[in-house]
Amino acid sequence: MSSATRRTATQWGVYDVDVVDGRIASVRGIDLDPDPSPIGDTLVDGVHSLRIERPAVRQGWLDGGPDRARDRRGADSFVEVDWDVALRLAADEIDRVRTERGNEAIYGGSYGWASAGRFHHAQSQLHRFMNVIGGCTRSVGSYSTAAAQTILPHVVEQWYRMELEQTTWSEIADGGELVVSFGGLPVRNSQVSYGGITRHEVGDGIRRAHDRGVRFVTIGPQRSDTPGYTDHRWIPIRPGTDVALMLAVAHVLGTEGLVDRAFLDRCTVGYERFEPYVRGESDGIPKTPEWAAAITGVPADVITGLARDMARHRTLLNASWALQRAHHGEQPYWMLVVLACMLGDVGTTGGGFGFGHCNEGHIGSDGRRFGWAALPQGTSPITSIIPVARIADMLLSPNQPFDFDGHRLTYPEIDLVYWAGGNPFHHHQDLNRLVAAWQRPSTVIVHEPWWTPIARFADIVFPATTAQERIDVCMSSHDPYAHVMEQVVEPPADARSDHAIFAGIAERLGLGDAFTEGRDERAWMEHMWERSAERARADGFDLPSFDDFWAAGRYELPPAAEQRAAWLVDFRDDPAAHPLDTPSGRIEIFSDTIASFGYDDCPGHPVWLEPYERLGGALADRFPLHLVSHQPATRLHSQLDHSEFSRRHKIDDREVVRIHPDAAAERGIADGATVRLFNDRGACLAAARLDPDLAPDVLALPTGAWYAPAEPGVVGSLELGGNPNVLTRDVGTSSLAQGPSAHTCLVEIEPFSGEAPSPNAYEPPPFR
Ligand SMILES: Nc1nc2c(c(=O)[nH]1)N[C@H]1C(S)=C(S)[C@@H](COP(=O)(O)OP(=O)(O)OC[C@H]3O[C@@H](n4cnc5c(=O)[nH]c(N)nc54)[C@H](O)[C@@H]3O)O[C@H]1N2
Ligand SMILES: Nc1nc2c(c(=O)[nH]1)N[C@H]1C(S)=C(S)[C@@H](COP(=O)(O)OP(=O)(O)OC[C@H]3O[C@@H](n4cnc5c(=O)[nH]c(N)nc54)[C@H](O)[C@@H]3O)O[C@H]1N2
Ligand SMILES: [Mo]
């Protein structure tokens, strides 16, 4: 028996991994981490099982023939081929498409989280490769925060800055009094941070604030979104109606003389064009608490009381990212900023507005940030882009125009889709629509370590190594530490890193040197370290040599020279001397820029707009429950869903949907029963769990169960494993951001009678 302990980094923490006889035996959080995430356990069996052993080509594609049996995608059997054949097929197909159709016909958006590790970052590798071969159609924005990323630069400042600069838990503990969070403070989500996380500190930060007397209010469909140790007050609300509540709070502030006029005058523009809307002078509807009560289900006196409480105490208004992953998701974010300005606490210690506290582990943390160098990706001569969540629209509507943030763009005609490090059959909405859209391109090429749904929906599949099977460097711009990622175990004999796969294709296109620049993987990491060292010098500190870093295994950034000032404090003190990068230099309550776009679904100031469906709306007669498809507590998205750890939290391999006991009783649904969730877009099976801490007409089904259609490749097939995205709708948030709107979703649920087929997702596909 041989054993060893090696260090790995993941997007849910850094771990010491015990390896016995070449396999991962156990996983422990490192000494630095006060609260390691149990998601680490997904690695134990997950790394080794259900691997793609060899390059594989879909039967119908390989046979050629009319349209290469595109409708068999996702259902077909695969043929294993050797590396040389697979690389040649991929290179020839890429060359055919770029020659016959132009590089624009290749879609390399390839959204997804892939793995931690800065060099073997699948998307960076793919984008570098695409730029070397002449570019491709790309995507902009994220599924996480598309609406925020688009609206907030018009209103406050660039998202990438504010995500990192916003109020910290220490500041809330020091100066805050009241935290009102729409969508709660889901500490379960802070297990995760993009690019990696060393210390899980959010839970502790909230505890400290609570111990110092900060009060917490959760407005949302689930009490459990905020941990019980905050003693928070829970105000249930109909999902998707938060803007109406915020407007009514604004109305109360206005009528009771509680608006901070001095702050509005000094630091904002456009209040005078917004106020008549709140009063009802511009549209005949005063946004009173009674008006909002009818929409939100929150009693009018609760709204009035909340407004007074906010006005009397220094308040941080926070909104989970989930709120903007919804139809008209731009509005709650804009309105939250406006409300915070009316309260006047913006730029104070522990007050103002925040976005996504607890949604990832780094939001609101104290650690120093540093912009580590990424893999150089070159530039693309191709300008064709889509907002990331418009992929099915693009595939289904080539050459059609669409709106995006003031631009009128056209969907390109895509003939080849290339994906590495993401799973659209996890992340995209209305999967039945995606299955149909997926039949449009001639070819789909995918890199994956496992036989995930996206791998099954490919024509050419390359077996990728996992992060535990290669060396790498974890250097996240969110985290004060950098880590050496050791190779923990040997990869399967035929797996290669994403980098090696692209190098192989590039070589066959005569571009091998352009892609690798003659460096091997370690030389690339050293190169990225050197470039980071230059940035560090500009920031006033020195990095150790790469060899010293490698020998030490980790590096901690020095503490910042000066203590950070509360976010926007300079701006608050003197907005003329410290202007924001909005057109006016101030916070824009009315935006002339946005108004000039002329969008009905995103006018010049925040407004209440009916979402395409909601509780209390027309469709609720047929589908009377709102489905919240939140992030899973027991994994990262769909990653390693086949692992024992992820499956332990399911029932018969079906994801658990939580339902209020009253809603369950009305429908004859018992705890643990197999249920069918459905609407006009699709249907899935899940296992019911009764939960009194939900709003009565809300269901909560986490994302990430591997898509398991009863009839693979068939549009509208019953999904067996509890993937909520067969139920969600694929419509942009608005013409402005075109973000995903997954959280706007009505369904019905019923007991599933009869023999429930077991989900077929955790098996390899058929092979010839
Ligand atoms: N209904 C609903 N849907 C949602 C959301 C929601 O709230 N509700 N949230 C959305 C959000 S915010 C997000 S960010 C997306 C997340 O969507 P994704 O980021 O696409 O989800 P992941 O499961 O992380 O997909 C990563 C894939 O990369 C693979 N992988 C891991 N390591 C490697 C590697 O080294 N190389 C390669 N080639 N592949 C690798 C994994 O096996 C996995 O299949 O989902 C979105 N979808
Ligand atoms: N463990 C774990 N953590 C994760 C991830 C993961 O996969 N696993 N994914 C990470 C990623 S990529 C992202 S983007 C973040 C996402 O972070 P969020 O967007 O905040 O995550 P969600 O879990 O979708 O939503 C949080 C809560 O918002 C509430 N909510 C939904 N709709 C509404 C609404 O209309 N109004 C109100 N008031 N509340 C509403 C729901 O009750 C839900 O539980 O999480 C990150 N953290
Ligand atoms: Mo996300």
Side-chain angles (χ1 to χ4, degrees):
M1 195 178 85
S2 71
S3 65
T5 299
R6 301 199 179 91
R7 184 151 294 184
T8 195
T10 69
Q11 302 189 99
W12 51 89
V14 185
Y15 296 91
D16 286 324
V17 181
D18 298 318
V19 180
V20 177
D21 288 341
R23 288 178 70 94
I24 297 177
S26 58
V27 163
R28 280 168 287 120
I30 59 165
D31 51 351
L32 281 173
D33 190 348
D35 189 15
S37 163
I39 294 175
D41 282 346
T42 54
L43 299 174
V44 175
D45 60 312
V47 165
H48 303 288
S49 57
L50 207 61
R51 294 299 294 272
I52 299 172
E53 300 284 345
R54 272 168 288 282
V57 184
R58 185 171 67 79
Q59 172 96 55
W61 191 90
L62 194 62
D63 293 348
D67 269 353
R68 301 191 131 154
R70 296 178 202 190
D71 58 346
R72 295 281 299 148
R73 258 185 211 127
D76 224 345
S77 50
F78 282 87
V79 182
E80 292 187 333
V81 297
D82 67 33
W83 269 100
D84 195 53
V85 172
L87 292 170
R88 171 56 54 205
L89 285 172
D92 286 352
E93 181 61 359
I94 290 168
D95 205 36
R96 179 192 71 78
V97 173
R98 67 175 179 162
T99 310
E100 288 176 9
R101 316 284 289 268
N103 283 63
E104 193 183 274
I106 301 174
Y107 182 64
S110 185
Y111 182 79
W113 271 55
S115 55
R118 197 90 173 172
F119 172 69
H120 288 294
H121 179 242
Q123 228 175 56
S124 306
Q125 294 287 345
L126 172 60
H127 292 159
R128 179 176 172 82
F129 169 80
M130 285 296 167
N131 289 339
V132 163
I133 66 155
C136 67
T137 293
R138 291 166 301 130
S139 63
V140 295
S142 70
Y143 276 72
S144 314
T145 54
Q149 289 167 349
T150 314
I151 185 106
L152 291 175
H154 293 296
V155 175
V156 188
E157 64 170 349
Q158 295 300 321
W159 172 257
Y160 69 89
R161 275 217 303 278
M162 66 197 266
E163 188 192 341
L164 296 182
E165 286 173 2
Q166 49 178 326
T167 306
T168 65
W169 284 109
S170 301
E171 288 158 3
I172 295 168
D174 282 348
E177 294 176 1
L178 179 64
V179 176
V180 177
S181 187
F182 293 83
L185 299 169
V187 173
R188 60 169 191 275
N189 287 359
S190 69
Q191 293 177 92
V192 161
S193 183
Y194 190 70
I197 175 166
T198 307
R199 294 171 56 81
H200 290 89
E201 301 179 298
V202 162
D204 190 49
I206 299 177
R207 259 180 229 275
R208 270 187 291 127
H210 171 259
D211 292 348
R212 300 268 287 270
V214 175
R215 284 183 299 120
F216 293 86
V217 175
T218 298
I219 300 174
Q222 305 195 61
R223 183 198 296 271
S224 58
D225 275 338
T226 304
Y229 55 72
T230 59
D231 296 323
H232 65 119
R233 174 183 180 204
W234 178 40
I235 302 177
I237 189 173
R238 287 178 176 154
T241 66
D242 305 79
V243 172
L245 185 144
M246 295 181 207
L247 284 166
V249 170
H251 192 273
V252 175
L253 298 179
T255 51
E256 300 195 0
L258 299 172
V259 177
D260 188 336
R261 301 267 167 189
F263 181 84
L264 292 179
D265 287 347
R266 199 171 69 249
C267 295
T268 72
V269 294
Y271 183 70
E272 70 292 346
R273 299 173 77 179
F274 169 71
E275 195 181 23
Y277 171 75
V278 176
R279 292 212 200 110
E281 288 154 12
S282 60
D283 67 347
I285 304 171
K287 309 301 174 302
T288 61
E290 291 71 26
W291 167 81
I295 295 171
T296 60
V298 180
D301 61 323
V302 171
I303 298 175
T304 305
L306 189 65
R308 292 174 185 156
D309 197 11
M310 289 177 182
R312 288 192 195 116
H313 298 97
R314 179 171 292 181
T315 302
L316 182 84
L317 298 176
N318 177 63
S320 272
W321 295 347
L323 268 81
Q324 49 88 63
R325 224 175 294 119
H327 197 211
H328 305 132
E330 296 85 358
Q331 302 304 317
Y333 268 39
W334 197 353
M335 187 56 213
L336 193 88
V337 173
V338 171
L339 198 53
C341 290
M342 293 173 71
L343 291 166
D345 291 338
V346 176
T348 64
T349 302
F353 55 87
F355 298 110
H357 277 78
C358 293
N359 293 175
E360 282 187 41
H362 60 274
I363 308 281
S365 70
D366 295 311
R368 183 173 187 168
R369 326 276 194 196
F370 174 62
W372 295 95
L375 175 72
Q377 294 175 24
T379 48
S380 173
I382 304 292
T383 55
S384 164
I385 55 147
I386 58 161
V388 67
R390 300 279 48 84
I391 178 165
D393 287 359
M394 170 184 75
L395 295 175
L396 290 167
S397 315
N399 307 314
Q400 294 301 305
F402 65 98
D403 288 304
F404 175 52
D405 199 16
H407 303 279
R408 189 99 175 134
L409 304 174
T410 305
Y411 288 123
E413 200 168 335
I414 298 298
D415 201 35
L416 188 155
V417 172
Y418 205 126
W419 224 287
N423 179 4
F425 288 87
H426 155 67
H427 66 233
H428 196 58
Q429 283 57 67
D430 199 345
L431 291 182
N432 285 307
R433 188 166 185 260
L434 184 67
V435 169
W438 211 250
Q439 296 173 357
R440 295 296 180 93
S442 294
T443 302
V444 178
I445 305 178
V446 169
H447 302 184
E448 256 289 342
W450 298 277
W451 278 113
T452 60
I454 178 66
R456 283 166 167 257
F457 271 88
D459 299 322
I460 302 175
V461 185
F462 288 107
T465 52
T466 69
Q468 286 66 47
E469 295 161 346
R470 55 197 188 211
I471 54 168
D472 210 336
V473 284
C474 178
M475 338 192 269
S476 162
S477 50
H478 306 155
D479 200 83
Y481 293 87
H483 299 272
V484 173
M485 294 166 65
E486 295 180 283
Q487 184 183 334
V488 172
V489 289
E490 286 297 321
D494 263 323
R496 295 187 187 176
S497 71
D498 296 289
H499 177 75
I501 298 166
F502 287 124
I505 301 173
E507 195 188 310
R508 280 157 184 80
L509 291 169
L511 294 163
D513 288 343
F515 181 71
T516 66
E517 294 181 16
R519 295 190 182 90
D520 65 12
E521 56 177 4
R522 196 174 187 283
W524 270 113
M525 291 173 207
E526 186 162 1
H527 176 70
M528 289 158 63
W529 188 264
E530 297 303 334
R531 287 174 58 127
S532 299
E534 287 161 25
R535 295 186 184 185
R537 273 193 292 280
D539 275 13
F541 65 100
D542 287 312
L543 289 184
S545 74
F546 183 70
D547 288 338
D548 286 350
F549 163 60
W550 202 263
R554 76 171 170 237
Y555 166 73
E556 182 182 1
L557 293 173
E562 307 160 39
Q563 214 205 322
R564 76 168 237 146
W567 185 42
L568 299 176
V569 73
D570 295 345
F571 166 72
R572 178 192 177 86
D573 287 349
D574 189 348
H578 303 279
L580 303 174
D581 48 16
T582 56
S584 62
R586 304 203 220 156
I587 293 176
E588 304 223 338
I589 294 174
F590 190 97
S591 163
D592 285 317
T593 308
I594 293 177
S596 75
F597 299 158
Y599 298 147
D600 290 346
D601 53 3
C602 191
H605 62 70
V607 289
W608 161 249
L609 295 167
E610 275 293 338
Y612 47 73
E613 58 199 53
R614 69 168 171 93
L615 295 172
L619 200 71
D621 292 346
R622 288 177 57 222
F623 301 111
L625 299 171
H626 190 110
L627 179 71
V628 168
S629 49
H630 59 88
Q631 307 289 354
T634 55
R635 59 182 174 261
L636 171 62
H637 310 136
S638 68
Q639 296 203 26
L640 297 155
D641 184 42
H642 65 293
S643 68
E644 202 270 324
F645 180 80
S646 176
R647 285 160 79 175
R648 196 192 302 158
H649 298 88
K650 306 186 184 218
I651 297 176
D652 295 335
D653 276 345
R654 270 183 260 281
E655 203 64 38
V656 168
V657 59
R658 283 175 298 116
I659 177 169
H660 192 276
D662 294 348
E666 249 175 65
R667 293 166 176 81
I669 293 170
D671 194 63
T674 303
V675 287
R676 176 173 168 269
L677 286 75
F678 61 98
N679 59 20
D680 287 335
R681 298 178 284 269
C684 70
L685 301 185
R689 180 112 292 159
L690 306 196
D691 181 354
D693 286 338
L694 285 175
D697 36 15
V698 165
L699 301 178
L701 175 64
T703 60
W706 282 6
Y707 174 61
E711 298 164 279
V714 175
V715 176
S717 165
L718 176 69
E719 201 280 332
L720 304 172
N723 185 322
N725 277 326
V726 297
L727 301 162
T728 53
R729 188 166 163 186
D730 182 15
V731 169
T733 50
S734 81
S735 312
L736 189 89
Q738 295 284 12
S741 57
H743 278 289
T744 304
C745 183
L746 292 183
V747 298
E748 179 55 292
I749 188 170
E750 63 183 16
F752 185 74
S753 46
E755 198 59 30
S758 67
N760 48 12
Y762 310 121
E763 311 160 359
F767 291 98
R768 184 175 67 186

